[in-house]
């Protein structure tokens, strides 16, 4: 069955499995845009809670280690809910490019 022919109920169930659960927490940098956890690990972090619609600030931590300890295993549990792609659904490898006009090096 093609992905566009999938019943709406199945799609909604997959989407809901990937979404965070109400009350789930995550650490977030306090400086503007979201960045990877490895960037500035000693910088202060905020702790956000999912309220069902958006991530809401709920506290602060001194560094990445303290923020991760505060949020517990929520981040790992969320990552485990996301399914990996099935090999049969990957696109086929494209054919190699072969130029239609022969290439000749000058002076050969």
């Amino acid at each position: 069955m093609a992905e566009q022919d999938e019943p709406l109920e199945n799609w909604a169930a997959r989407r809901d499995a990937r979404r965070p659960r109400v009350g789930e927490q995550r650490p977030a940098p306090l400086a503007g845009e979201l960045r990877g956890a490895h960037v500035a690990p000693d910088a202060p972090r905020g702790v956000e809670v999912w309220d069902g619609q958006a991530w809401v600030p709920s506290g602060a931590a001194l560094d990445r280690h303290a923020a991760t300890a505060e949020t517990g295993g929520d981040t790992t549990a969320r990552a485990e809910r996301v399914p990996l792609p099935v090999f049969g659904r990957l696109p086929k490898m494209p054919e190699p490019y072969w130029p239609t006009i022969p290439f000749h090096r000058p002076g050969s």
Side-chain angles (χ1 to χ4, degrees):
M1 174 181 349
E3 188 170 320
Q4 62 268 20
D5 296 334
E6 179 180 21
L8 184 59
E9 296 79 24
N10 294 355
W11 173 83
R14 280 190 307 112
R15 184 198 60 183
D16 290 342
R18 288 191 311 264
R19 296 187 79 189
R21 291 181 172 66
V22 175
E24 196 167 308
Q25 298 178 337
R26 75 174 182 184
L30 293 177
E33 63 190 58
L34 293 176
R35 297 181 296 177
H38 65 284
V39 178
D42 297 331
R45 307 283 173 156
V47 177
E48 298 177 332
V49 176
W50 181 254
D51 69 354
Q53 297 296 320
W55 290 101
V56 179
S58 71
L62 293 175
D63 58 4
R64 181 183 61 85
H65 180 70
T68 305
E70 176 69 26
T71 59
D74 287 344
T75 306
T76 304
R78 187 169 61 247
E80 290 172 350
R81 288 196 308 263
V82 178
L84 295 174
V86 180
F87 279 115
R89 297 183 67 185
L90 293 175
K92 292 185 177 183
M93 186 174 176
E95 292 293 323
Y97 173 73
W98 299 104
T100 55
I101 301 171
F103 177 77
H104 299 286
R105 292 186 186 272
S108 320

